[in-house]
Amino acid sequence: MRIAFQRSVWPGLILGTVVAFAPFGAIAADAAAPTPSLAPPHALMSDAQWASLFDQSKPLADRERMLAQVEQSPDLRNPKDLYALGSLYHMGKNAPGSPVDDNPQKASLYLGNAAIRGSVYAMAKMAELKLAAGQYQEAMNWAQIYSHYALLAPETSHSPRESYAAELVSRIKSHVTDTQMAAIMKDVNSFVALNDAQIRAGMQADALNDGDRPNRMMHHRVQLPDSRRPDTGIADYLIAFKPDGSAANVQLVDAVPRPEVGGTLRNWAKSVTLQPAPEGNALRYAWVPMVIGNKDYHMDDSH
């Protein structure tokens, strides 16, 4: 299936920017148990442990050692761990308190491995990485792969995820010829045929995770017609939640296509909630990806 895009004409004088967040498994189309042989191993790090890497009250050497243990583990195969590592190395010190500098090679290595193991957001980030590097055919490959799996969710139609996917394709499209596009789609179809079972197993395994899930929400940002449209993109946050379920702290981890997307979405990230804790006063943590779309684009999968 080739994913094209259409500019949408939205009635009225006021346009809204739509924002939503989804945990890693929220786009899985089927929550049935994955095939045991394809199911990924358990994650090496909890969300609280990932958050501790940004805690500047802890010695940097200790945080670097903790990260090195994850990177050197022979069990580093869970898509969430791989996605987290790729996100850290993509953003580098643009994320406050990060223990690492940005490293595009490591980011690509970890995100690519996360993508083939079921991380759909890693597919989008691979497209952004390749686009930033001027590798347009590879960027379109990943954009089409991301669009294919993002559209599996029944709620995707006219959602922020769909709008971002279509806008991503549109940013790459001008750099790709029709002849190249035919070769790209052949590569995409081959990729899906080769990796589909493993990707779906990873998506399903995360959907079955019964840990705390932050409450889903959608925001609409009212904007005058002549004002600059905000960036579309993805931003990842590690959010610490109070016992009552409200956010105590929001830590930016990564943002694409530009770090500024993280600032755009920060206030919305602060509004994410968890169910109140039944007992205890300890903070709870969740890794929360958020997607922003500007409603100018939507998918057309009829091609």
Side-chain angles (χ1 to χ4, degrees), residues 54-210:
F54 295 86
D55 184 353
Q56 297 181 68
S57 69
K58 299 185 182 210
L60 177 60
D62 290 349
R63 292 183 282 145
E64 290 174 334
R65 190 178 305 110
M66 183 178 180
L67 189 61
Q69 289 174 348
V70 177
E71 293 190 72
Q72 295 166 11
S73 172
D75 298 319
L76 180 57
R77 299 189 305 278
N78 184 281
K80 186 172 181 180
D81 288 327
L82 291 162
Y83 178 83
L85 285 169
S87 298
L88 262 68
Y89 280 111
H90 172 257
M91 194 70 161
K93 295 296 175 60
N94 286 308
S98 175
V100 301
D101 293 316
D102 63 288
N103 186 321
Q105 289 74 34
K106 279 193 170 185
S108 183
L109 172 67
Y110 289 128
L111 290 171
N113 277 280
I116 65 173
R117 287 169 172 78
S119 173
V120 180
Y121 290 121
M123 300 170 189
K125 290 189 179 182
M126 285 298 295
E128 296 283 12
L129 279 171
K130 298 302 181 183
L131 176 57
Q135 300 171 11
Y136 301 122
Q137 287 185 251
E138 289 190 53
M140 183 60 86
N141 277 339
W142 281 111
Q144 293 286 336
I145 291 165
Y146 168 68
S147 300
H148 172 75
Y149 286 102
L151 285 172
L152 291 179
E155 73 274 13
T156 298
S157 179
H158 292 90
S159 71
R161 190 179 301 117
E162 183 217 29
S163 176
Y164 164 65
E167 191 271 343
L168 173 61
V169 170
S170 76
R171 277 191 277 127
I172 305 168
K173 191 171 185 288
S174 62
H175 300 288
V176 177
T177 67
D178 289 342
T179 300
Q180 290 172 325
M181 196 68 207
I184 287 167
M185 293 316 302
K186 183 177 180 180
D187 289 343
V188 169
N189 290 334
S190 296
F191 176 93
V192 172
L194 181 64
N195 297 292
D196 186 66
Q198 181 171 251
I199 289 170
R200 289 175 184 259
M203 294 166 64
Q204 293 167 2
D206 190 66
L208 291 171
N209 184 350
D210 60 0

